[in-house]
Amino acid sequence: MSEVRRFVVTPTDDPAAVLVRLADELSLRAASSTVVERTFLDTADGRLDAAGVVLELRHPVDGSGSASLVWTEDGRTVATHQLALPEAPRFVADLPAWPAADRLAGLMEMRALVPGPTITTRLTVLAALDREEKTTARVVVDTSVLRNGDDLPMLVELHELRGYGREADRLEKRLRAALVLEPFTGSVAAAARAASGAPAFLPSKLRLALHPTAPAAEAWRTVLRALTDTMTANFAGTIADTDSEFLHDFRVAVRRTRSVLQEGRKVLPPERRDEFRAGFKWLGDITTPQRDADVHLLDYPGLLASVPAERAAALEPLRELLVERQRECHGQLVADLRSMRRAQLGRDWAEFLAGDGAWPADDGGEPGSDAPDSLRPAVVVAAERIHKAHTRLVRDGRTIDDGSEPVALHDLRKDAKRLRYLLECFGSLFPASDVATAVKPLKALQDTLGTFQDTEVQAHALEDMAVQLVERGAPAATLLALGAVIEGVHARGAAARVEFAQRFAAFDSHTVTKAYERLSEDAEELS
Amino acid sequence: MKVLATYNIKGGVGKTATAVNLAYEAASRGNRVLVWDLDPQGAATFYFRIRPKVKGGGKAIVSGRRDLDEVIKASDYDNLDVVPADFSMRNLDLMIEGSKKPLATLRRVLRSVAKEYDLVFLDCPPSISLASESVFRAADALLVPVIPTTLSIRTFEQLDRFVEENPEVVKDLDVIGFFSMVDRRKRLHRELLVELRAARPDLLDELIPAVTDVERMGVHRQPVTAFSPGSRAARSYAALWDEISARL
Ligand SMILES: Nc1ncnc2c1ncn2[C@@H]1O[C@H](COP(=O)(O)OP(=O)(O)O)[C@@H](O)[C@H]1O
Ligand SMILES: [Mg+2]
């Protein structure tokens, strides 16, 4: 691929004058000049931006020609597509059949593209030609205005053509002599976002920097606030059902909040803690039906792929049932999220998290008087909780053998989650590398436990749906195909069950135990 | 990466016009395309206004001393690059004969750019020889323009027979024939079209008519769709590409 060398023109002269200079002094030939309205697309968490991908919808402003979808990276055009309707794609399935579309699909996964800032750009293309009138390099001058009328810095791109590197070098020298240029390394999309004051992308991970020696109450408060921010950031997308990740991230924040409350024994005043544990349990519970329905829909393409192609069409009634279910669940969820009860919980919680230091006691007494751990160093309290959770996971895991009931593995998954949440929420109290060493084998164990339980739940749900489909008079072919699907799900579950022993043994090893002991030692050293 | 070779033992049947115009069509649909001009006459190179010269000569490429990568030139069009012709390529046969595994030569050379391109068009000189066999090995499909004359159809059949009789050379090679330079005003063309279609039902449905726009490519030095979009020729090449790409 040929390189694009990008520059900002400083200070921005009159754009028209710049163009005339380029044409006259550098004898570049004007190839085209168009004015386009550009709307940048990205997922709510900025996955394209993070990968250096710019995807935009372009409308020619003079109404000539159709809208197109343009994919660039570092100024290079990766792919373009003329749109029959000026509608932006939302999901992976809506992307054009670009040969490289898989790369975008891999970045987006289940996320929807949402429109970001819109700018209007005059794109002027100038060509350097050789004696045969063959283009040897292109210069693209890009002058953009934001919706509010503000100008973005003027950009000059030198598009090197493959096999014509020397010509590009020569032209760059002459460009630099003619104009004052600074290298530009960002993207126009990012520049437009920054200049238009567009909201920041949703963070995909909890990013905390807790102080090891600060009182535990402060660390707990900081974590709970960050989780509340995540819930708030994902609230509108959950209500609008923009994509399934908003609800997913909302739920993860709720579950982490519950876990941090649970681990907050002796850090938070006991009655308030109980009150909020109940509150967030309810909030978690009301989101479960839609999440289950979302998961079925997300799994559907995989299920489809697991049956022979000639049977796939027979599964259509199942898909319709899943879609209908998801819509019902979403309607209910929206009602619950807009209820008085939810609003009250939000207000109480915000009030509880306001302020700093330890919380006043339930009876209004001295802060910390009914929460003896609240003023101890955060790292010490967190290390104790991690130690306890680790010990319990190992103890319970050792009682499981090939004959154990599935419920034993489900319970073990809860133990594992508890430990994982502790490490995620309080990990920044410890040296990062020690946390990473502790998390890695835990993650592997969780993956297996997760697959095992998810397949059980999925098989169960599909069996339920089979009954419903029978009641609706679905054709036998549908039920046969569904039978094959369920069989496949059971097989995956069985494989995970076999894998468990090995994964647990790896977790219950000397090295991993040492990694967890290391965290307690860290706590001692840091406090 | 799929490799397509425009091929016919005869010259002047539209091989180069096909390679250039289909490559342009495929590139404009978002495929990353490379045209390799294997004909020392350099007609494809000329249409792209590129100098017919390869750094170090074609021999350096065939021998593996120089990577194909180093001699590729961008065309004036997005997604479309060219390996220019080189006069030394008139000795392609000799060069290939002299290399270690003569039949695998082109395939090996192309492997180095497999990640960069979705499609390669090899524009072949007319002849059947060791070089052609190396082309057959490297290609996934041969695109064979056939002028509706009794003689052309006979050469097409010869090619078919060669492919059948030499399975060791042409594993999985798809031979795609289509009518080229068809002049419907000529009664002979019309009659032969019907007759030959009956004899060779595997020929593509789409055909390329004989039109002056294609001849004018030499004046414009551009693919026909670039200077005459929407013309009959442009539409024919687009439809031909629809049919070929569906078959790949
Ligand atoms: N469809 C067509 N209509 C009219 N002229 C054509 C057509 N295809 C090719 N030609 C002309 O015929 C001549 C030979 O075509 P070319 O593509 O170079 O054939 P080849 O590569 O098989 O030798 C060229 O002058 C070209 O302009
Ligand atoms: Mg030719």
Side-chain angles (χ1 to χ4, degrees), chain A residues 73-124:
Chain A
E73 289 182 31
D74 299 324
R76 274 184 301 108
T77 301
V78 180
T80 60
H81 179 73
Q82 300 284 325
L83 295 167
L85 292 170
E87 244 169 54
R90 283 205 344 116
F91 290 103
V92 164
D94 309 325
L95 291 174
W98 282 326
D102 279 355
R103 175 169 145 71
L104 284 188
L107 294 172
M108 286 168 60
E109 297 180 298
M110 74 304 278
R111 294 234 72 151
L113 294 171
V114 288
T118 295
I119 62 176
T120 304
T121 301
R122 175 173 287 279
L123 286 169
T124 307

Side-chain angles (χ1 to χ4, degrees), chain A residues 104-431:
Chain A
L104 284 188
L107 294 172
M108 286 168 60
E109 297 180 298
M110 74 304 278
R111 294 234 72 151
L113 294 171
V114 288
T118 295
I119 62 176
T120 304
T121 301
R122 175 173 287 279
L123 286 169
T124 307
V125 182
L126 302 152
L129 304 174
D130 68 8
R131 250 176 288 149
E132 311 276 297
E133 306 237 306
K134 161 87 179 72
T135 306
T136 55
R138 285 194 187 91
V139 174
V140 179
V141 181
D142 171 327
T143 50
S144 302
V145 224
L146 292 172
R147 272 274 164 83
N148 65 12
D150 287 354
D151 288 333
L152 282 181
M154 183 173 182
L155 298 179
V156 168
E157 295 177 344
L158 170 54
H159 291 243
E160 175 185 332
L161 295 185
R162 185 170 194 167
Y164 296 93
R166 268 194 302 169
E167 285 82 350
D169 290 344
R170 250 180 278 145
L171 182 56
E172 182 180 340
K173 265 200 203 115
R174 299 176 59 211
L175 273 175
R176 283 173 173 284
L179 304 167
V180 185
L181 300 176
E182 282 293 331
F184 176 74
T185 48
S187 75
V188 184
R193 283 187 78 80
S196 66
F201 291 124
L202 297 178
S204 55
K205 275 211 174 90
L206 259 193
R207 247 165 298 183
L208 293 166
L210 302 172
H211 300 296
T213 54
E218 198 177 302
W220 254 254
R221 211 191 279 266
T222 306
V223 174
L224 290 170
R225 268 191 202 142
L227 293 170
T228 308
D229 289 346
T230 306
M231 286 181 235
T232 309
N234 285 287
F235 194 80
T238 299
I239 298 268
D241 202 16
T242 305
D243 65 38
S244 59
E245 278 305 276
F246 286 96
L247 175 61
H248 174 262
D249 291 353
F250 184 84
R251 271 169 63 79
V252 170
V254 171
R255 263 191 297 174
R256 284 175 174 165
T257 299
R258 293 178 59 198
S259 181
V260 172
L261 284 168
Q262 187 193 346
E263 305 294 346
R265 208 166 73 84
K266 298 191 191 164
V267 178
L268 277 63
E271 277 175 26
R272 305 264 18 224
R273 174 171 164 265
D274 288 347
E275 171 197 336
F276 288 120
R277 284 183 73 184
F280 283 103
K281 176 172 183 340
W282 170 78
L283 187 57
D285 288 348
I286 61 169
T287 62
T288 301
Q290 187 189 330
R291 177 60 193 167
D292 288 349
D294 284 345
V295 170
H296 288 310
L297 276 178
L298 290 170
D299 285 346
Y300 183 76
L303 293 182
L304 211 56
S306 76
V307 297
E310 66 274 15
R311 279 192 175 180
L315 282 174
E316 185 53 22
L318 172 64
R319 197 190 63 84
E320 284 163 14
L321 181 65
L322 295 177
V323 170
E324 206 177 292
R325 227 346 144 73
Q326 198 270 356
R327 291 216 182 104
E328 280 166 23
C329 293
H330 179 65
Q332 183 57 50
L333 176 64
V334 169
D336 287 339
L337 288 177
R338 287 184 168 152
S339 67
M340 298 289 285
R341 183 171 178 185
R342 217 281 317 156
Q344 190 62 45
L345 174 65
R347 277 195 298 274
D348 292 349
W349 185 236
E351 197 185 306
F352 180 71
L353 293 182
D356 45 31
W359 283 274
D362 285 326
D363 59 8
E366 229 5 57
S369 59
D370 56 0
D373 282 347
S374 61
L375 296 169
R376 297 175 63 210
V379 70
V380 175
V381 179
E384 285 170 10
R385 307 291 147 106
I386 290 169
H387 174 72
K388 211 165 141 196
H390 174 250
T391 309
R392 179 168 171 163
L393 174 57
V394 170
R395 184 198 70 199
D396 291 351
R398 285 180 185 168
T399 65
I400 294 177
D401 56 29
D402 291 346
S404 302
E405 290 295 316
V407 67
L409 281 108
H410 301 339
D411 287 343
L412 195 70
R413 186 186 186 195
K414 287 185 199 149
D415 288 352
K417 269 193 178 165
R418 181 179 168 198
L419 179 56
R420 180 72 179 279
Y421 287 146
L422 276 167
L423 291 166
E424 281 172 348
C425 294
F426 296 102
S428 68
L429 292 165
F430 302 88

Side-chain angles (χ1 to χ4, degrees), chain A residues 440-485:
Chain A
K440 209 173 159 218
L442 174 60
K443 200 165 173 268
L445 176 64
Q446 278 186 295
D447 284 347
T448 304
L449 288 168
T451 306
F452 179 67
Q453 186 170 14
D454 293 347
T455 52
E456 287 240 319
V457 171
Q458 196 184 29
H460 219 82
L462 288 169
E463 279 156 11
D464 273 357
M465 283 175 219
V467 174
Q468 288 188 44
L469 287 168
V470 170
E471 283 165 3
R472 290 177 169 212
T478 301
L479 298 169
L480 278 173
L482 189 55
V485 167

